[in-house]
Amino acid sequence: MPSRRDLLRCGVVAVAVVTALGAGALAWSSTLLGEYSVMDMGAGGHGESAHAHGTAAFGAGSALGTRGGVDVTELVAEPDRPADVHVDLIARAETIEVDGGRPVEGFTVNGTSPGPEIRATQGDLVEVTLENESVAAGATLHWHGIDVPNAADGVAGITQDAVPVGGRFTYRFVAEDAGTYWYHSHQVSHDQVVRGLLGAIVVDPADPADAAPADADVTALLHVYGGQHTLNGSAEDERIAAEPGSTVRVRVINTDSGTAAVWASSPFRVVAIDGREVNGPTDVDGERLLVPAGGRADVAVTAPPDGSVLRLRTGGARSLLIGDPSAPEPSAPQPSETLDLLDYGTPDPGAIDFDPTAPDRSYEYAIGRRPGLIDGRPGYFWTINGKLFPDVPMFEVAEGDVVAMRIRNDSGEVHPMHLHGHHVVVLTRDGVAASGSPWIVDSLDVHPGEGYDIAFVADNPGIWSDHCHTLQHAVDGLIAHVMYEGVTTPFTIGPESGNRPD
């Protein structure tokens, strides 16, 4: 079987709603043979899966996958290899001083929010030790967009217990793919992410020729603190000094729950999406780029040759001003047209080393909404394939499977679907085939009425969260799991364990 480095690592939106706030813990079997799970196997190149369907059962303190198999804690990165990059991060509950704005009560990493940027080179083994100094509910770190081994995924109750006050946890992973990523807590994430427990991580290519050339490299992390739109933690625009005619790569990271719009006063190019380089990017002029919640986009701009300054709008409220620091600031009205990544760039048939037209498994995933109860809490909740938690199906994969999925949004809101541990390749939208550079993502906005066909290779064993990154949507039911055959976990979700991943 081809290695993970040889195959395009992609993901599947799989379905098993888990509430992190209810009175009881949810249990479901990752071995797919026990009494805990409701499975939806789908049909693929070999027809209906032969695995038996189970039934749903719920009980406080029950574990996911309590039968024999590979424990998630065994799915680690090269345990005997020394780390190339080691970082110590301390999580605290404290006041965040927002530059140019007002202070807010939230969570910091090493005394700041955003936390320190972690920088590594492709192929490095990264080791990060998290210490929880004062986050009362516990904390974890999830490496958003990095296809880490399952034990390092940082999801409380699935891959680890939340780190209590005074506790520590060490994450280890090989930075196999260059690109722009971020880290954030996956314990009570709808609160801890919003209130600042996050930071950027950038993986530089081992060979600089593998990335679009640039004279400077800048991170632009977007976050809203108490209603204040910030850029790299500041409620003010940021000036970047650049020589006339030089190229600046800007790594836009959207850490908020809504879509961010990016545009400029001069043409720009989209050189990477979700850590994957775009093949043959062309100038974008008179259009805006939309970045999903949790998503990243690297754009390249050219400092004006006449010595003036360029304005790059990042998320609308904040800007980078690139060029002569003393030059007047140009205006940049938001374009009405949106760049379509379905046909942006140039096709690259060699970028996908599997046949998505002959999947081993195929699944349908339809998002809807209706009134109901979750753990006795009444509300207007999200449904998956017409089912409300806890009666939604799960989906299983086996290592090496090629999986196709059709995602359809029948609800009235946008859902930025984020897949842990994998990336997906977008094949079609509303029946129109992708025709540009391979569109490879881990965070995909699915708008009301839209339908996407995606495909992936199941090449990263584990139990993986897959959820809407509008984080309140996850609390209200839009969270799922993709489960590999034979993988189990000893961890539990619920009040007894204290694990509340969403």
Side-chain angles (χ1 to χ4, degrees):
M1 183 172 62
S3 70
R4 292 187 68 223
R5 295 297 302 276
D6 295 333
L7 291 172
L8 171 65
R9 286 181 300 282
C10 299
V12 58
V13 180
V15 184
V17 173
V18 179
T19 181
L21 299 177
L26 171 62
W28 65 110
S29 170
S30 66
T31 61
L32 309 173
L33 300 175
E35 67 272 24
Y36 301 128
S37 59
V38 178
M39 308 306 302
D40 187 345
M41 307 306 176
H46 304 295
E48 180 76 6
S49 170
H51 291 275
H53 290 235
T55 60
F58 303 89
S62 298
L64 169 62
T66 54
R67 307 206 173 199
V70 177
D71 193 299
V72 295
T73 60
E74 301 173 41
L75 298 170
V76 299
E78 303 184 38
D80 298 325
R81 175 179 167 182
D84 300 293
V85 176
H86 179 84
V87 180
D88 292 314
L89 298 179
I90 301 175
R92 299 185 180 97
E94 62 179 330
T95 302
I96 300 170
E97 300 295 337
V98 178
D99 291 343
R102 66 182 185 279
V104 297
E105 294 304 313
F107 303 102
T108 64
V109 183
N110 289 8
T112 67
S113 182
E117 179 175 297
I118 299 172
R119 202 95 186 196
T121 299
Q122 188 177 16
D124 282 350
L125 194 149
V126 179
E127 183 176 87
V128 180
T129 297
L130 169 67
E131 178 184 346
N132 180 4
E133 183 174 294
S134 56
V135 181
T140 68
L141 291 179
H142 166 60
W143 309 94
H144 190 115
I146 302 179
D147 297 344
V148 300
N150 200 214
D153 197 40
V155 181
I158 306 297
T159 63
Q160 68 173 95
D161 284 326
V163 181
V165 173
R168 292 172 174 264
F169 190 91
T170 298
Y171 302 87
R172 287 170 53 91
F173 57 88
V174 176
E176 293 186 354
D177 298 304
T180 305
Y181 308 99
W182 63 296
Y183 60 87
H184 63 79
S185 180
H186 225 298
Q187 162 74 350
V188 200
S189 59
H190 68 282
D191 179 58
Q192 293 185 8
V193 175
V194 169
R195 296 175 62 199
L197 213 167
L198 54 89
I201 178 167
V202 175
V203 180
D204 295 311
D207 183 352
D210 291 338
D215 301 299
D217 191 304
V218 176
T219 299
L221 186 148
L222 313 181
H223 196 71
V224 176
Y225 294 92
Q228 303 171 98
H229 291 262
T230 69
L231 171 61
N232 297 325
S234 173
E236 300 178 327
D237 292 344
E238 184 174 337
R239 281 190 174 266
I240 304 296
E243 292 295 321
S246 63
T247 299
V248 178
R249 184 182 184 122
V250 180
R251 301 175 182 270
V252 180
I253 304 173
N254 182 11
T255 69
D256 290 313
S257 286
T259 304
V262 175
W263 71 94
S265 59
S266 300
F268 64 94
R269 297 179 304 286
V270 182
V271 295
I273 295 291
D274 284 358
R276 299 298 187 266
E277 293 287 308
V278 173
N279 189 53
T282 55
D283 282 351
V284 178
D285 191 8
E287 294 179 307
R288 62 185 179 178
L289 170 68
L290 298 183
V291 183
R296 291 86 57 216
D298 294 14
V299 300
V301 298
T302 301
D306 62 3
S308 59
V309 67
L310 172 149
R311 180 185 292 274
L312 178 69
R313 285 281 190 183
T314 54
R318 298 276 76 84
S319 296
L320 286 172
L321 297 161
I322 299 170
D324 184 348
S326 63
E329 300 180 7
S331 62
Q334 181 169 180
S336 58
E337 299 297 319
T338 298
L339 177 68
D340 192 348
L341 293 174
L342 199 68
D343 60 5
Y344 180 73
T346 304
D348 182 8
I352 302 174
D353 194 15
F354 68 94
D355 183 3
T357 66
D360 299 293
R361 311 194 190 215
S362 299
Y363 296 120
E364 185 84 13
Y365 179 9
I367 303 168
R369 202 175 191 188
R370 67 176 173 85
L373 295 173
I374 290 183
D375 280 347
R377 177 169 57 104
Y380 197 48
F381 296 115
W382 307 106
T383 62
I384 302 170
N385 292 354
K387 301 293 185 179
L388 188 71
F389 171 84
D391 298 321
V392 297
M394 291 184 180
F395 298 92
E396 79 165 302
V397 298
E399 188 172 5
D401 279 349
V402 173
V403 181
M405 167 142 319
R406 176 164 294 169
I407 311 170
R408 191 175 76 249
N409 183 358
D410 297 329
S411 76
E413 296 188 30
V414 178
H415 298 296
M417 302 308 297
H418 170 54
L419 320 174
H420 289 213
H422 305 76
H423 279 68
V424 305
V425 58
V426 176
L427 304 176
T428 74
R429 185 185 60 234
D430 298 335
V432 178
S435 58
S437 174
W439 188 6
I440 302 167
V441 298
D442 59 70
S443 303
L444 178 66
D445 263 351
V446 184
H447 290 259
E450 284 186 337
Y452 279 92
D453 288 304
I454 62 172
F456 74 98
V457 174
D459 60 353
N460 194 6
I463 301 169
W464 299 101
S465 293
D466 184 350
H467 60 99
C468 178
H469 226 272
T470 299
L471 296 175
Q472 189 58 48
H473 290 184
V475 174
D476 289 342
L478 257 183
I479 181 167
H481 293 81
V482 57
M483 304 167 67
Y484 279 68
E485 293 178 348
V487 177
T488 68
T489 180
F491 305 109
T492 61
I493 295 171
E496 290 188 5
S497 67
N499 292 321
R500 300 168 57 193
D502 298 290

